[in-house]
Structures are given as C-alpha cells and as structure tokens.
Amino acid sequence: MVTIGVYGGVGKRSRRELAAEYTRRYTTEILDRADLTPIVSALPSSGTAALLCVERDPEACHRSLIAQRLTERHHVTIEHCFSTCPRIQSGSRAAPQGEYRSSSPF
C-alpha cells in the first residue's frame, strides 16, 4: 500500500488546493495506472452522475484530478456544483464535487 501525505497540517475542509507533491505522486502512482474506460462506459448517456467530496473547493480534492483526466482523455463534461447550485439547494445534504455529463461515444 502506498501512503501519500495530503494534508501538510491542513484539515480537509479548510484546504484550498492539493500539494504539488501529492498531485504528482497521485497522478503517477495511482491515476496513470487506472483504466477509466469502464467508468466512462458506465456513465449514463443522458442524465447526471455525481462524484461527491468533502472539500468545498474542487482544487482541494483528489477527485478533481480524476475529473480532469476524464475531461482530457475521455471528453466527459464536468460541471462543478457548489452550495449555490440549484440542485444542491433542493434539499440534498451533500455537495457534489462535480457532475459528469457524458459527451463520449461510450
């Protein structure tokens, strides 16, 4: 198991961005080894899928690295929703980090 330090003394909810070393290592040790094609294939062709996270800012969450990879390599459209998003204000307690709208042929 690989352990990568993320926080550097900063709590998840107060973090504003990922440390550069964390981003580099997460990308090379985890994301570059992951085949995201099955995930993209499982996304609904219409409708919305959500990836949830605890951080307020997408830049502070490792899921933003996954979202970026989905956009760059699989042409999945990402829409970040925040507490001001109408979908969130309709009663949901958790704020999605990103909603994926697939424009991929899968």
Short mmCIF file of all heavy atoms in Angstrom, two decimals, residues 11-71:
data_model
loop_
_atom_site.label_atom_id
_atom_site.label_comp_id
_atom_site.label_asym_id
_atom_site.label_seq_id
_atom_site.Cartn_x
_atom_site.Cartn_y
_atom_site.Cartn_z
N GLY A 11 -6.47 20.78 7.54
CA GLY A 11 -7.63 19.89 7.52
C GLY A 11 -8.33 19.89 6.18
O GLY A 11 -8.26 20.86 5.43
N LYS A 12 -9.02 18.79 5.86
CA LYS A 12 -9.70 18.65 4.58
C LYS A 12 -10.62 19.83 4.26
O LYS A 12 -10.63 20.33 3.16
CB LYS A 12 -10.54 17.37 4.56
CG LYS A 12 -9.77 16.11 4.40
CD LYS A 12 -10.75 14.96 4.31
CE LYS A 12 -10.05 13.65 4.16
NZ LYS A 12 -11.00 12.56 4.01
N ARG A 13 -11.41 20.21 5.22
CA ARG A 13 -12.42 21.24 4.94
C ARG A 13 -11.85 22.64 4.82
O ARG A 13 -12.50 23.52 4.28
CB ARG A 13 -13.50 21.19 6.01
CG ARG A 13 -14.31 19.93 5.93
CD ARG A 13 -15.40 19.89 6.99
NE ARG A 13 -16.00 18.59 7.04
CZ ARG A 13 -17.16 18.28 6.43
NH1 ARG A 13 -17.78 19.18 5.74
NH2 ARG A 13 -17.63 17.07 6.53
N SER A 14 -10.63 22.86 5.29
CA SER A 14 -10.04 24.19 5.16
C SER A 14 -8.97 24.26 4.07
O SER A 14 -8.47 25.33 3.76
CB SER A 14 -9.45 24.64 6.50
OG SER A 14 -8.49 23.71 6.95
N ARG A 15 -8.66 23.14 3.46
CA ARG A 15 -7.66 23.10 2.39
C ARG A 15 -8.22 23.79 1.15
O ARG A 15 -9.39 23.65 0.81
CB ARG A 15 -7.32 21.64 2.11
CG ARG A 15 -6.19 21.46 1.15
CD ARG A 15 -5.78 20.01 1.01
NE ARG A 15 -6.90 19.16 0.66
CZ ARG A 15 -7.15 17.99 1.21
NH1 ARG A 15 -6.39 17.52 2.16
NH2 ARG A 15 -8.17 17.27 0.83
N ARG A 16 -7.38 24.54 0.44
CA ARG A 16 -7.79 25.25 -0.78
C ARG A 16 -7.24 24.62 -2.05
O ARG A 16 -7.77 24.85 -3.13
CB ARG A 16 -7.35 26.72 -0.73
CG ARG A 16 -7.99 27.51 0.36
CD ARG A 16 -9.37 27.92 -0.06
NE ARG A 16 -9.96 28.77 0.95
CZ ARG A 16 -11.19 28.70 1.32
NH1 ARG A 16 -11.99 27.82 0.78
NH2 ARG A 16 -11.67 29.51 2.23
N GLU A 17 -6.15 23.84 -1.91
CA GLU A 17 -5.57 23.18 -3.07
C GLU A 17 -4.77 21.97 -2.61
O GLU A 17 -4.43 21.85 -1.44
CB GLU A 17 -4.67 24.13 -3.85
CG GLU A 17 -3.48 24.62 -3.07
CD GLU A 17 -2.65 25.64 -3.83
OE1 GLU A 17 -3.12 26.20 -4.82
OE2 GLU A 17 -1.52 25.87 -3.39
N LEU A 18 -4.49 21.10 -3.54
CA LEU A 18 -3.68 19.93 -3.24
C LEU A 18 -2.20 20.32 -3.32
O LEU A 18 -1.82 21.15 -4.15
CB LEU A 18 -3.95 18.82 -4.25
CG LEU A 18 -5.35 18.22 -4.22
CD1 LEU A 18 -5.57 17.30 -5.41
CD2 LEU A 18 -5.58 17.47 -2.92
N ALA A 19 -1.40 19.72 -2.49
CA ALA A 19 0.04 19.96 -2.54
C ALA A 19 0.57 19.44 -3.87
O ALA A 19 0.13 18.42 -4.38
CB ALA A 19 0.72 19.27 -1.37
N ALA A 20 1.56 20.14 -4.43
CA ALA A 20 2.13 19.76 -5.71
C ALA A 20 2.70 18.34 -5.68
O ALA A 20 2.52 17.57 -6.63
CB ALA A 20 3.21 20.77 -6.13
N GLU A 21 3.36 17.98 -4.59
CA GLU A 21 3.93 16.64 -4.47
C GLU A 21 2.84 15.59 -4.43
O GLU A 21 2.96 14.52 -5.02
CB GLU A 21 4.83 16.55 -3.22
CG GLU A 21 5.43 15.18 -2.99
CD GLU A 21 6.44 14.74 -4.05
OE1 GLU A 21 6.79 15.54 -4.94
OE2 GLU A 21 6.85 13.57 -3.99
N TYR A 22 1.75 15.87 -3.72
CA TYR A 22 0.62 14.94 -3.69
C TYR A 22 0.06 14.76 -5.09
O TYR A 22 -0.18 13.64 -5.53
CB TYR A 22 -0.48 15.44 -2.75
CG TYR A 22 -1.69 14.54 -2.79
CD1 TYR A 22 -1.74 13.38 -2.04
CD2 TYR A 22 -2.77 14.82 -3.63
CE1 TYR A 22 -2.83 12.53 -2.10
CE2 TYR A 22 -3.85 13.97 -3.70
CZ TYR A 22 -3.89 12.83 -2.94
OH TYR A 22 -4.97 12.00 -3.02
N THR A 23 -0.15 15.86 -5.81
CA THR A 23 -0.69 15.80 -7.16
C THR A 23 0.21 14.96 -8.06
O THR A 23 -0.26 14.09 -8.81
CB THR A 23 -0.88 17.21 -7.73
OG1 THR A 23 -1.80 17.92 -6.91
CG2 THR A 23 -1.40 17.18 -9.15
N ARG A 24 1.50 15.20 -7.99
CA ARG A 24 2.45 14.47 -8.83
C ARG A 24 2.41 12.98 -8.51
O ARG A 24 2.29 12.14 -9.40
CB ARG A 24 3.87 15.01 -8.62
CG ARG A 24 4.91 14.33 -9.51
CD ARG A 24 6.33 14.71 -9.12
NE ARG A 24 6.73 14.13 -7.84
CZ ARG A 24 7.05 12.84 -7.64
NH1 ARG A 24 6.99 11.98 -8.62
NH2 ARG A 24 7.41 12.41 -6.43
N ARG A 25 2.47 12.65 -7.23
CA ARG A 25 2.50 11.24 -6.84
C ARG A 25 1.16 10.54 -7.09
O ARG A 25 1.14 9.40 -7.53
CB ARG A 25 2.92 11.10 -5.38
CG ARG A 25 4.41 11.43 -5.20
CD ARG A 25 4.91 11.07 -3.84
NE ARG A 25 4.80 9.62 -3.63
CZ ARG A 25 4.91 9.06 -2.43
NH1 ARG A 25 5.14 9.80 -1.36
NH2 ARG A 25 4.80 7.76 -2.29
N TYR A 26 0.05 11.21 -6.81
CA TYR A 26 -1.25 10.60 -7.05
C TYR A 26 -1.41 10.30 -8.54
O TYR A 26 -1.88 9.23 -8.93
CB TYR A 26 -2.39 11.52 -6.57
CG TYR A 26 -3.73 10.87 -6.71
CD1 TYR A 26 -4.23 10.03 -5.73
CD2 TYR A 26 -4.50 11.07 -7.86
CE1 TYR A 26 -5.46 9.40 -5.87
CE2 TYR A 26 -5.72 10.45 -8.02
CZ TYR A 26 -6.20 9.62 -7.02
OH TYR A 26 -7.41 8.99 -7.18
N THR A 27 -0.98 11.24 -9.36
CA THR A 27 -1.09 11.06 -10.81
C THR A 27 -0.23 9.89 -11.28
O THR A 27 -0.71 9.01 -12.00
CB THR A 27 -0.70 12.35 -11.54
OG1 THR A 27 -1.60 13.39 -11.12
CG2 THR A 27 -0.80 12.19 -13.05
N THR A 28 1.03 9.85 -10.88
CA THR A 28 1.93 8.81 -11.38
C THR A 28 1.70 7.45 -10.73
O THR A 28 1.80 6.43 -11.40
CB THR A 28 3.41 9.21 -11.23
OG1 THR A 28 3.69 9.44 -9.85
CG2 THR A 28 3.73 10.44 -12.04
N GLU A 29 1.39 7.43 -9.45
CA GLU A 29 1.28 6.15 -8.73
C GLU A 29 -0.11 5.54 -8.76
O GLU A 29 -0.26 4.34 -8.59
CB GLU A 29 1.73 6.33 -7.28
CG GLU A 29 3.19 6.70 -7.17
CD GLU A 29 3.64 6.99 -5.75
OE1 GLU A 29 2.92 6.59 -4.79
OE2 GLU A 29 4.69 7.62 -5.58
N ILE A 30 -1.11 6.35 -8.99
CA ILE A 30 -2.48 5.83 -8.95
C ILE A 30 -3.22 6.09 -10.27
O ILE A 30 -3.65 5.17 -10.95
CB ILE A 30 -3.26 6.42 -7.75
CG1 ILE A 30 -2.58 5.98 -6.45
CG2 ILE A 30 -4.73 6.00 -7.79
CD1 ILE A 30 -3.09 6.63 -5.21
N LEU A 31 -3.35 7.34 -10.64
CA LEU A 31 -4.18 7.70 -11.79
C LEU A 31 -3.62 7.18 -13.10
O LEU A 31 -4.38 6.68 -13.94
CB LEU A 31 -4.36 9.22 -11.83
CG LEU A 31 -5.49 9.76 -12.69
CD1 LEU A 31 -6.81 9.10 -12.34
CD2 LEU A 31 -5.59 11.26 -12.53
N ASP A 32 -2.31 7.27 -13.30
CA ASP A 32 -1.73 6.77 -14.56
C ASP A 32 -1.89 5.26 -14.70
O ASP A 32 -1.85 4.74 -15.81
CB ASP A 32 -0.25 7.14 -14.65
CG ASP A 32 -0.03 8.61 -14.96
OD1 ASP A 32 -1.00 9.31 -15.31
OD2 ASP A 32 1.12 9.07 -14.83
N ARG A 33 -2.07 4.56 -13.62
CA ARG A 33 -2.25 3.10 -13.65
C ARG A 33 -3.71 2.69 -13.78
O ARG A 33 -4.00 1.50 -13.98
CB ARG A 33 -1.67 2.49 -12.38
CG ARG A 33 -0.19 2.72 -12.25
CD ARG A 33 0.32 2.18 -10.95
NE ARG A 33 1.74 2.50 -10.79
CZ ARG A 33 2.47 2.10 -9.78
NH1 ARG A 33 1.93 1.36 -8.83
NH2 ARG A 33 3.73 2.43 -9.70
N ALA A 34 -4.61 3.63 -13.64
CA ALA A 34 -6.05 3.32 -13.64
C ALA A 34 -6.62 3.39 -15.06
O ALA A 34 -6.34 4.33 -15.80
CB ALA A 34 -6.80 4.31 -12.75
N ASP A 35 -7.41 2.40 -15.40
CA ASP A 35 -8.13 2.41 -16.66
C ASP A 35 -9.52 2.97 -16.37
O ASP A 35 -10.36 2.31 -15.74
CB ASP A 35 -8.23 1.00 -17.23
CG ASP A 35 -8.99 0.95 -18.54
OD1 ASP A 35 -9.33 2.02 -19.10
OD2 ASP A 35 -9.25 -0.18 -19.01
N LEU A 36 -9.77 4.18 -16.81
CA LEU A 36 -11.05 4.84 -16.53
C LEU A 36 -12.12 4.50 -17.56
O LEU A 36 -13.27 4.90 -17.40
CB LEU A 36 -10.86 6.36 -16.45
CG LEU A 36 -9.93 6.85 -15.35
CD1 LEU A 36 -9.80 8.37 -15.39
CD2 LEU A 36 -10.40 6.39 -13.99
N THR A 37 -11.76 3.76 -18.59
CA THR A 37 -12.73 3.42 -19.63
C THR A 37 -13.97 2.71 -19.08
O THR A 37 -15.09 3.07 -19.46
CB THR A 37 -12.05 2.57 -20.73
OG1 THR A 37 -10.95 3.31 -21.25
CG2 THR A 37 -13.02 2.24 -21.86
N PRO A 38 -13.84 1.73 -18.17
CA PRO A 38 -15.06 1.10 -17.63
C PRO A 38 -15.95 2.10 -16.87
O PRO A 38 -17.17 1.98 -16.90
CB PRO A 38 -14.52 0.03 -16.68
CG PRO A 38 -13.13 -0.25 -17.15
CD PRO A 38 -12.63 1.05 -17.70
N ILE A 39 -15.34 3.06 -16.22
CA ILE A 39 -16.13 4.08 -15.50
C ILE A 39 -16.89 4.94 -16.50
O ILE A 39 -18.08 5.20 -16.34
CB ILE A 39 -15.23 4.93 -14.60
CG1 ILE A 39 -14.64 4.06 -13.50
CG2 ILE A 39 -15.98 6.14 -14.03
CD1 ILE A 39 -13.55 4.71 -12.69
N VAL A 40 -16.19 5.37 -17.55
CA VAL A 40 -16.84 6.19 -18.59
C VAL A 40 -17.95 5.39 -19.25
O VAL A 40 -19.04 5.92 -19.48
CB VAL A 40 -15.80 6.67 -19.62
CG1 VAL A 40 -16.47 7.37 -20.79
CG2 VAL A 40 -14.78 7.60 -18.97
N SER A 41 -17.71 4.13 -19.51
CA SER A 41 -18.74 3.28 -20.14
C SER A 41 -19.98 3.13 -19.26
O SER A 41 -21.07 2.96 -19.77
CB SER A 41 -18.16 1.90 -20.44
OG SER A 41 -17.11 1.99 -21.35
N ALA A 42 -19.79 3.19 -17.95
CA ALA A 42 -20.91 3.03 -17.02
C ALA A 42 -21.70 4.32 -16.80
O ALA A 42 -22.78 4.28 -16.21
CB ALA A 42 -20.40 2.51 -15.68
N LEU A 43 -21.18 5.45 -17.26
CA LEU A 43 -21.90 6.72 -17.08
C LEU A 43 -23.17 6.70 -17.92
O LEU A 43 -23.19 6.16 -19.03
CB LEU A 43 -21.03 7.91 -17.51
CG LEU A 43 -19.84 8.22 -16.63
CD1 LEU A 43 -18.98 9.31 -17.27
CD2 LEU A 43 -20.28 8.64 -15.24
N PRO A 44 -24.23 7.30 -17.42
CA PRO A 44 -25.48 7.33 -18.19
C PRO A 44 -25.30 8.19 -19.45
O PRO A 44 -24.60 9.20 -19.43
CB PRO A 44 -26.49 7.97 -17.23
CG PRO A 44 -25.66 8.70 -16.23
CD PRO A 44 -24.35 8.00 -16.14
N SER A 45 -25.90 7.77 -20.55
CA SER A 45 -25.80 8.55 -21.79
C SER A 45 -26.63 9.83 -21.70
O SER A 45 -26.35 10.80 -22.39
CB SER A 45 -26.23 7.72 -22.99
OG SER A 45 -27.55 7.27 -22.81
N SER A 46 -27.63 9.82 -20.86
CA SER A 46 -28.39 11.04 -20.57
C SER A 46 -28.58 11.09 -19.07
O SER A 46 -28.55 10.08 -18.39
CB SER A 46 -29.74 11.03 -21.29
OG SER A 46 -30.53 9.97 -20.83
N GLY A 47 -28.75 12.27 -18.56
CA GLY A 47 -28.88 12.41 -17.12
C GLY A 47 -27.56 12.84 -16.51
O GLY A 47 -26.66 13.31 -17.19
N THR A 48 -27.45 12.62 -15.23
CA THR A 48 -26.31 13.14 -14.50
C THR A 48 -25.75 12.09 -13.56
O THR A 48 -26.50 11.34 -12.97
CB THR A 48 -26.76 14.37 -13.66
OG1 THR A 48 -27.27 15.35 -14.55
CG2 THR A 48 -25.61 14.96 -12.89
N ALA A 49 -24.44 12.07 -13.44
CA ALA A 49 -23.77 11.25 -12.43
C ALA A 49 -22.97 12.22 -11.56
O ALA A 49 -22.52 13.26 -12.04
CB ALA A 49 -22.83 10.25 -13.10
N ALA A 50 -22.83 11.93 -10.30
CA ALA A 50 -22.14 12.84 -9.38
C ALA A 50 -20.99 12.14 -8.68
O ALA A 50 -21.09 10.96 -8.34
CB ALA A 50 -23.11 13.39 -8.34
N LEU A 51 -19.94 12.89 -8.47
CA LEU A 51 -18.80 12.45 -7.68
C LEU A 51 -18.75 13.38 -6.48
O LEU A 51 -18.56 14.58 -6.63
CB LEU A 51 -17.52 12.56 -8.52
CG LEU A 51 -16.22 12.13 -7.87
CD1 LEU A 51 -16.27 10.65 -7.50
CD2 LEU A 51 -15.05 12.37 -8.82
N LEU A 52 -18.96 12.83 -5.29
CA LEU A 52 -19.07 13.64 -4.09
C LEU A 52 -17.73 13.77 -3.38
O LEU A 52 -16.89 12.87 -3.45
CB LEU A 52 -20.08 13.02 -3.13
CG LEU A 52 -21.47 12.78 -3.71
CD1 LEU A 52 -22.34 12.08 -2.69
CD2 LEU A 52 -22.11 14.07 -4.16
N CYS A 53 -17.55 14.88 -2.70
CA CYS A 53 -16.35 15.04 -1.89
C CYS A 53 -16.66 15.95 -0.70
O CYS A 53 -17.66 16.64 -0.68
CB CYS A 53 -15.18 15.57 -2.71
SG CYS A 53 -15.14 17.31 -2.96
N VAL A 54 -15.77 15.96 0.27
CA VAL A 54 -15.97 16.72 1.48
C VAL A 54 -15.40 18.15 1.37
O VAL A 54 -15.85 19.05 2.05
CB VAL A 54 -15.39 15.98 2.70
CG1 VAL A 54 -13.88 15.93 2.64
CG2 VAL A 54 -15.86 16.58 4.00
N GLU A 55 -14.42 18.33 0.50
CA GLU A 55 -13.81 19.65 0.37
C GLU A 55 -14.76 20.63 -0.32
O GLU A 55 -15.52 20.25 -1.19
CB GLU A 55 -12.50 19.57 -0.45
CG GLU A 55 -11.37 18.93 0.28
CD GLU A 55 -11.39 17.42 0.22
OE1 GLU A 55 -12.20 16.84 -0.52
OE2 GLU A 55 -10.59 16.81 0.94
N ARG A 56 -14.68 21.88 0.08
CA ARG A 56 -15.52 22.91 -0.52
C ARG A 56 -15.06 23.26 -1.93
O ARG A 56 -15.87 23.47 -2.82
CB ARG A 56 -15.49 24.17 0.35
CG ARG A 56 -16.43 25.27 -0.16
CD ARG A 56 -16.36 26.49 0.70
NE ARG A 56 -15.05 27.10 0.47
CZ ARG A 56 -14.62 28.17 1.10
NH1 ARG A 56 -15.37 28.73 2.02
NH2 ARG A 56 -13.44 28.67 0.84
N ASP A 57 -13.74 23.33 -2.12
CA ASP A 57 -13.17 23.73 -3.41
C ASP A 57 -12.71 22.51 -4.19
O ASP A 57 -11.97 21.68 -3.66
CB ASP A 57 -11.98 24.67 -3.18
CG ASP A 57 -12.38 25.94 -2.45
OD1 ASP A 57 -13.40 26.55 -2.83
OD2 ASP A 57 -11.68 26.31 -1.50
N PRO A 58 -13.11 22.37 -5.45
CA PRO A 58 -12.68 21.23 -6.26
C PRO A 58 -11.15 21.08 -6.32
O PRO A 58 -10.64 19.98 -6.35
CB PRO A 58 -13.26 21.51 -7.64
CG PRO A 58 -14.39 22.44 -7.41
CD PRO A 58 -14.02 23.24 -6.20
N GLU A 59 -10.46 22.20 -6.33
CA GLU A 59 -8.99 22.17 -6.41
C GLU A 59 -8.35 21.54 -5.18
O GLU A 59 -7.18 21.19 -5.20
CB GLU A 59 -8.43 23.58 -6.60
CG GLU A 59 -8.90 24.29 -7.84
CD GLU A 59 -10.29 24.91 -7.71
OE1 GLU A 59 -10.79 25.07 -6.57
OE2 GLU A 59 -10.87 25.22 -8.75
N ALA A 60 -9.09 21.40 -4.11
CA ALA A 60 -8.58 20.84 -2.86
C ALA A 60 -8.85 19.34 -2.74
O ALA A 60 -8.53 18.73 -1.73
CB ALA A 60 -9.19 21.57 -1.67
N CYS A 61 -9.44 18.75 -3.76
CA CYS A 61 -9.85 17.35 -3.68
C CYS A 61 -9.15 16.52 -4.75
O CYS A 61 -9.07 16.94 -5.91
CB CYS A 61 -11.36 17.26 -3.87
SG CYS A 61 -11.99 15.58 -3.75
N HIS A 62 -8.70 15.33 -4.37
CA HIS A 62 -8.06 14.46 -5.36
C HIS A 62 -9.02 14.06 -6.47
O HIS A 62 -8.60 13.73 -7.57
CB HIS A 62 -7.45 13.22 -4.69
CG HIS A 62 -8.44 12.19 -4.29
ND1 HIS A 62 -9.24 12.31 -3.17
CD2 HIS A 62 -8.77 11.02 -4.88
CE1 HIS A 62 -10.02 11.26 -3.08
NE2 HIS A 62 -9.75 10.45 -4.10
N ARG A 63 -10.31 14.14 -6.20
CA ARG A 63 -11.28 13.81 -7.24
C ARG A 63 -11.20 14.79 -8.42
O ARG A 63 -11.58 14.45 -9.53
CB ARG A 63 -12.69 13.76 -6.66
CG ARG A 63 -12.89 12.57 -5.74
CD ARG A 63 -14.19 12.68 -4.96
NE ARG A 63 -14.32 11.63 -3.99
CZ ARG A 63 -13.81 11.66 -2.76
NH1 ARG A 63 -13.13 12.71 -2.36
NH2 ARG A 63 -13.97 10.66 -1.95
N SER A 64 -10.69 16.00 -8.17
CA SER A 64 -10.51 16.95 -9.27
C SER A 64 -9.48 16.42 -10.27
O SER A 64 -9.57 16.70 -11.47
CB SER A 64 -10.09 18.33 -8.75
OG SER A 64 -8.79 18.28 -8.18
N LEU A 65 -8.52 15.64 -9.79
CA LEU A 65 -7.54 15.04 -10.69
C LEU A 65 -8.21 13.98 -11.56
O LEU A 65 -7.91 13.86 -12.75
CB LEU A 65 -6.39 14.42 -9.88
CG LEU A 65 -5.64 15.38 -8.95
CD1 LEU A 65 -4.63 14.61 -8.11
CD2 LEU A 65 -4.98 16.50 -9.73
N ILE A 66 -9.12 13.24 -10.98
CA ILE A 66 -9.88 12.25 -11.74
C ILE A 66 -10.78 12.95 -12.74
O ILE A 66 -10.86 12.56 -13.91
CB ILE A 66 -10.69 11.35 -10.79
CG1 ILE A 66 -9.76 10.61 -9.83
CG2 ILE A 66 -11.57 10.37 -11.58
CD1 ILE A 66 -10.47 9.95 -8.66
N ALA A 67 -11.46 14.00 -12.31
CA ALA A 67 -12.34 14.76 -13.19
C ALA A 67 -11.55 15.34 -14.37
O ALA A 67 -12.01 15.29 -15.52
CB ALA A 67 -13.03 15.88 -12.41
N GLN A 68 -10.38 15.88 -14.10
CA GLN A 68 -9.54 16.43 -15.16
C GLN A 68 -9.14 15.35 -16.15
O GLN A 68 -9.18 15.55 -17.36
CB GLN A 68 -8.30 17.08 -14.56
CG GLN A 68 -7.38 17.69 -15.58
CD GLN A 68 -6.16 18.34 -14.94
OE1 GLN A 68 -6.01 18.38 -13.72
NE2 GLN A 68 -5.28 18.86 -15.76
N ARG A 69 -8.79 14.18 -15.64
CA ARG A 69 -8.41 13.07 -16.51
C ARG A 69 -9.60 12.63 -17.36
O ARG A 69 -9.47 12.34 -18.55
CB ARG A 69 -7.88 11.91 -15.67
CG ARG A 69 -7.46 10.67 -16.41
CD ARG A 69 -6.25 10.84 -17.32
NE ARG A 69 -5.08 11.34 -16.67
CZ ARG A 69 -4.07 10.60 -16.23
NH1 ARG A 69 -4.12 9.29 -16.38
NH2 ARG A 69 -3.02 11.16 -15.66
N LEU A 70 -10.79 12.57 -16.77
CA LEU A 70 -11.99 12.20 -17.52
C LEU A 70 -12.27 13.19 -18.64
O LEU A 70 -12.67 12.81 -19.74
CB LEU A 70 -13.20 12.09 -16.59
CG LEU A 70 -13.21 10.88 -15.67
CD1 LEU A 70 -14.30 11.03 -14.61
CD2 LEU A 70 -13.38 9.59 -16.46
N THR A 71 -12.03 14.47 -18.37
CA THR A 71 -12.24 15.50 -19.39
C THR A 71 -11.20 15.39 -20.50
O THR A 71 -11.55 15.38 -21.68
CB THR A 71 -12.16 16.90 -18.75
OG1 THR A 71 -13.22 17.02 -17.80
CG2 THR A 71 -12.31 17.99 -19.79
#
